[in-house]
Amino acid sequence: MNPALLFERAVNGAGRINLQKYVIALGAAIVEYEPPMTDDELLQLADLRQIVKESIGNAEHTYTRTRRYENALVLLYPRLRSRLESNKGTEEVVGQVRIAKMRKQETNAAQQIVQNRDSQEGRMERMELILRLEDVRLFHEWVPKTQRPHDLMSTIKHVQQNLKRRDAAYDDFWTKVLMSAWVARETNVDLADWIQSENPKNARQVAEIIKILETASMLKEKALEE
């Protein structure tokens, strides 16, 4: 029987004795002793060995290597010693692969949970931002530029004196925001449109911008229509 056919029968578990647990040792013997084979048989052997490799890599038990007779094999075929000394394909190694795969699956599942949660939180944050901007559009407007404050520098000084470091808005580069707001009001840009153009990340940042404008006396509530 040619080696490729013998290996195929072992891989398929054919015959009266199931040799699937010995395919790794058999493959090692074929590689080590290099029996004559045709090109087609070599290709067939390579394909079969790939099947075994993938099975072991997937932590399957089909071709898990048994070491029951390996001492005897080494006595009969000494050149196999170095190849059979490794624990390649043994139950121990396959078990380690299985544990690694399980841990990876658990990690992936945990990451998916976090991603789903972040996605849900992101949707809620965007909805809160939209509602906060709509609230500004409905209930707030600029204090006309003919009213106080009359100039930007005095406004900046006023805000600096009244906006404390403990205010969340203080961290939002309030001077830059205030200068941008001043230009927007001077050019008759709608209040809500300007705030949106500042690209606030969430409703909290909108509230911080509102805080800056209120401190600068540049924003007021709209008069309710009767």
Side-chain angles (χ1 to χ4, degrees):
M1 182 180 295
N2 72 64
L5 181 57
L6 175 62
F7 194 78
E8 180 182 25
R9 290 174 63 84
V11 168
N12 293 333
R16 290 179 298 175
I17 301 176
N18 190 320
L19 297 177
Q20 287 179 321
K21 299 296 184 181
Y22 301 93
V23 293
I24 293 177
L26 179 58
I30 293 173
V31 171
E32 181 65 35
Y33 286 93
E34 298 180 328
M37 286 186 288
T38 66
D39 290 343
D40 288 342
E41 289 170 348
L42 288 171
L43 289 174
Q44 180 186 12
L45 180 64
D47 290 341
L48 292 168
R49 294 187 69 194
Q50 183 63 30
I51 291 173
V52 175
K53 180 179 178 180
E54 290 178 0
S55 176
I56 296 296
N58 290 328
E60 298 171 352
H61 289 282
T62 308
Y63 306 111
T64 302
R65 170 182 160 197
T66 178
R67 311 190 80 162
R68 175 184 285 182
Y69 302 116
E70 288 187 358
N71 288 336
L73 286 173
V74 169
L75 290 174
L76 292 171
Y77 306 100
R79 287 168 54 185
L80 288 180
R81 181 181 298 277
S82 61
R83 293 186 179 274
L84 297 182
E85 280 178 348
S86 76
N87 60 357
K88 176 182 177 181
T90 60
E91 183 65 39
E92 177 186 1
V93 171
V94 173
Q96 292 172 353
V97 172
R98 188 184 307 112
I99 291 172
K101 288 175 67 69
M102 290 175 60
R103 286 177 177 171
K104 184 176 181 180
Q105 290 172 352
E106 291 171 355
T107 299
N108 290 342
Q111 290 175 342
Q112 187 62 51
I113 291 173
V114 172
Q115 289 175 359
N116 292 341
R117 183 189 65 195
D118 290 347
S119 178
Q120 179 66 21
E121 291 177 352
R123 286 193 293 270
M124 292 180 63
E125 195 171 71
R126 288 192 294 273
M127 181 58 67
E128 290 173 355
L129 174 59
I130 291 171
L131 292 175
R132 190 69 180 89
L133 287 170
E134 186 61 25
D135 178 77
V136 172
R137 194 177 303 278
L138 291 173
F139 301 111
H140 296 85
E141 62 183 354
W142 297 113
V143 169
K145 56 187 176 182
T146 54
Q147 301 180 23
R148 64 179 298 267
H150 296 294
D151 65 89
L152 179 58
M153 294 310 299
S154 62
T155 301
I156 290 176
K157 184 177 180 180
H158 173 76
V159 173
Q160 191 171 27
Q161 291 172 344
N162 290 274
L163 193 64
K164 306 301 181 183
R165 287 184 179 275
R166 64 176 177 270
D167 291 322
Y170 192 92
D171 293 330
D172 266 4
F173 305 103
W174 64 267
T175 305
K176 178 181 177 182
V177 170
L178 189 56
M179 293 175 69
S180 175
W182 192 274
V183 173
R185 188 181 66 168
E186 290 289 315
T187 55
N188 297 315
V189 176
D190 178 78
L191 173 62
D193 289 344
W194 168 75
I195 292 178
Q196 190 167 3
S197 74
E198 292 294 301
N199 297 317
K201 295 179 180 179
N202 48 48
R204 178 184 59 80
Q205 289 190 354
V206 174
E208 291 168 2
I209 293 174
I210 294 296
K211 171 73 173 179
I212 294 170
L213 297 181
E214 287 177 339
T215 305
S217 301
M218 293 180 62
L219 175 144
K220 66 177 182 178
E221 292 187 0
K222 287 183 177 179
L224 296 178
E225 296 181 0
E226 297 183 359

